[in-house]
């Protein structure tokens, strides 16, 4: 039993480090983590077998239910929760939001129908043991990974609402995580998605404000600049539309010609200030929604 639980502990810390590297690069490729997912499941099964617990069917949600019930009050809960973060991440990469909801409900010790609960509410009330082992060196603390998973999951839910043409619900999701500490590139995407939601709600001025904030946070967020071009076209402002298109072209040229600084059409700092002036200052948000 001690050997199985020791393996579970070591893999939990190792997987946290691998997962943090994945999030830092913003590359969500499930195949890259397949071997780790297999190791995770094997660790859980061995731990259950070591304590003589009945192993459920192949349903991973049922497996986690038994694991949490078995080790929920033990000293190993810390490592179980680290493994839970990895499982959460893998399902998030596959956009299995309903499965994530079922997993988090199990962790919160609640037996509720999935149709009666909201993923954002469950995440908001989520309680995980995130103590760190000071003897270990990790690339990212478990708490930081959990916070990043919270943000990414809510964003994924918002994108799902956009695909369902439920733009007000999507906007609510993006607004909830917009103020959370997050990497610069991720925050820029949150602002961009918020702007797209405003655009679908026929509030172009609020959308432009969001695209401006995205560029202020991350100048390399070309999607925000491109979306602003579409809004200017919608507003019938061809002059500013052309200016934004030239700016977008300049940014692409800068990216493709990094080797020669003398060939740059204009400095990144100057472009950033220009983008803020062109995109944000020409049109101010005037609608009731807070961007």
């Amino acid at each position: 039993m001690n050997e199985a639980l020791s393996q579970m502990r070591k893999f939990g810390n190792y997987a946290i480090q691998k997962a943090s590297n994945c999030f830092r690069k913003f590359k969500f490729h499930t195949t890259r983590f397949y071997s780790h997912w297999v190791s995770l499941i094997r660790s859980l099964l061995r731990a259950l077998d070591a304590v003589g617990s009945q192993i459920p069917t192949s349903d991973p949600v049922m497996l986690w239910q038994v694991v949490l019930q078995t080790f929920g009050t033990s000293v190993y809960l810390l490592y179980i929760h680290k493994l839970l973060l990895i499982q959460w991440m893998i399902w998030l990469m596959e956009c299995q939001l309903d499965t994530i909801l079922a997993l988090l409900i199990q962790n919160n010790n609640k037996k509720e129908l999935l149709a009666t609960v909201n993923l954002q509410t469950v995440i908001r009330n989520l309680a995980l043991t995130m103590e760190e082992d000071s003897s270990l060196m990790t690339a990212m603390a478990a708490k930081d990974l959990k916070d990043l998973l919270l943000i990414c999951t809510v964003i994924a839910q918002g994108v799902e609402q956009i695909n369902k043409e439920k733009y007000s619900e999507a906007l609510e999701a993006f607004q909830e995580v917009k103020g959370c500490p997050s990497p610069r590139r991720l925050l820029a995407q949150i602002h961009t998605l918020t702007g797209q939601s405003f655009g679908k709600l026929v509030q172009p001025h609020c959308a432009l404000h969001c695209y401006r904030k995205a560029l202020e946070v991350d100048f390399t967020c070309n999607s925000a600049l491109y979306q602003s071009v579409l809004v200017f076209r919608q507003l019938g402002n061809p002059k500013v539309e052309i200016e934004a298109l030239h700016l977008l072209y300049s940014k692409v040229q800068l990216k493709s010609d990094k080797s020669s600084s003398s060939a740059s059409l204009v400095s990144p700092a100057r472009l950033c200030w220009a983008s803020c002036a062109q995109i944000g200052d020409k049109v101010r948000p005037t609608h009731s929604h807070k961007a």
Side-chain angles (χ1 to χ4, degrees):
M1 172 181 175
N2 290 335
E3 180 185 354
L5 294 176
S6 176
Q7 180 188 13
M8 180 176 65
R9 173 181 178 272
K10 291 179 180 178
F11 178 75
N13 292 312
Y14 171 73
I16 285 289
Q17 184 171 1
K18 297 296 291 184
S20 66
N21 292 336
C22 173
F23 270 111
R24 287 177 186 276
K25 296 179 181 179
F26 296 98
K27 294 179 180 179
F28 302 116
H29 301 301
T30 304
T31 53
R32 179 179 300 181
F33 277 80
Y34 178 75
S35 62
H36 302 309
W37 180 81
V38 172
S39 298
L40 184 154
I41 296 300
R42 287 176 177 172
S43 296
L44 296 178
L45 292 175
R46 289 192 63 185
L48 289 175
D49 184 63
V51 298
S53 179
Q54 183 178 0
I55 299 176
T57 62
S58 58
D59 183 359
V61 175
M62 292 297 298
L63 172 62
W64 272 105
Q65 180 181 359
V66 174
V67 169
L68 291 169
Q69 289 175 351
T70 303
F71 299 101
T73 58
S74 71
V75 295
Y76 300 105
L77 182 62
L78 166 65
Y79 308 109
I80 292 294
H81 279 169
K82 287 186 176 182
L83 295 178
L84 184 146
L85 291 178
I86 305 305
Q87 181 67 85
W88 182 356
M89 183 193 67
I90 292 173
W91 282 339
L92 179 58
M93 289 189 291
E94 297 175 347
C95 294
Q96 297 185 24
L97 300 183
D98 290 340
T99 311
I100 293 173
L101 176 59
L103 173 65
L104 300 184
I105 289 177
Q106 295 292 346
N107 179 75
N108 288 351
N109 296 320
K110 293 183 179 180
K111 296 181 179 180
E112 305 179 44
L113 296 176
L114 295 182
T116 64
V117 293
N118 179 276
L119 179 57
Q120 290 175 242
T121 302
V122 173
I123 290 177
R124 197 179 300 118
N125 299 327
L126 184 63
L128 293 175
T129 304
M130 292 290 104
E131 296 177 8
E132 296 293 337
D133 190 337
S134 59
S135 64
L136 299 174
M137 295 183 63
T138 57
M140 176 184 287
K143 180 182 181 302
D144 295 335
L145 178 58
K146 184 198 74 171
D147 293 341
L148 195 53
L149 282 168
L150 295 177
I151 295 171
C152 291
T153 302
V154 174
I155 292 174
Q157 187 182 38
V159 171
E160 187 177 79
Q161 297 298 333
I162 289 180
N163 292 334
K164 294 179 179 179
E165 299 185 354
K166 297 181 179 180
Y167 306 118
S168 295
E169 290 83 349
L171 184 60
E172 180 182 350
F174 299 138
Q175 296 280 31
E176 180 171 336
V177 297
K178 192 167 60 174
C180 298
S182 58
R184 177 173 52 88
R185 292 179 63 185
L186 183 59
L187 181 58
Q189 291 300 324
I190 294 173
H191 285 304
T192 302
L193 289 167
T194 304
Q196 288 182 276
S197 299
F198 275 123
K200 293 296 185 180
L201 292 170
V202 198
Q203 299 190 40
H205 303 86
C206 291
L208 284 174
H209 179 71
C210 293
Y211 299 145
R212 175 189 177 181
K213 291 185 71 66
L215 288 167
E216 289 175 345
V217 170
D218 179 16
F219 173 70
T220 66
C221 186
N222 290 340
S223 59
L225 186 54
Y226 175 73
Q227 291 296 328
S228 69
V229 170
L230 301 181
V231 175
F232 286 131
R233 181 177 302 173
Q234 176 188 352
L235 293 174
N237 195 333
K239 180 179 179 181
V240 184
E241 178 189 347
I242 295 300
E243 290 176 352
L245 282 172
H246 278 302
L247 181 59
L248 181 59
Y249 173 77
S250 298
K251 290 180 62 181
V252 173
Q253 285 294 103
L254 283 173
K255 185 176 181 180
S256 63
D257 197 18
K258 290 181 179 179
S259 58
S260 176
S261 58
S262 62
S264 299
L265 298 179
V266 63
S267 68
R270 184 176 179 182
L271 281 176
C272 186
W273 282 109
S275 66
C276 293
Q278 291 175 355
I279 295 174
D281 293 339
K282 291 183 180 291
V283 187
R284 298 286 183 180
T286 57
H287 291 266
S288 59
H289 278 289
K290 182 178 180 182

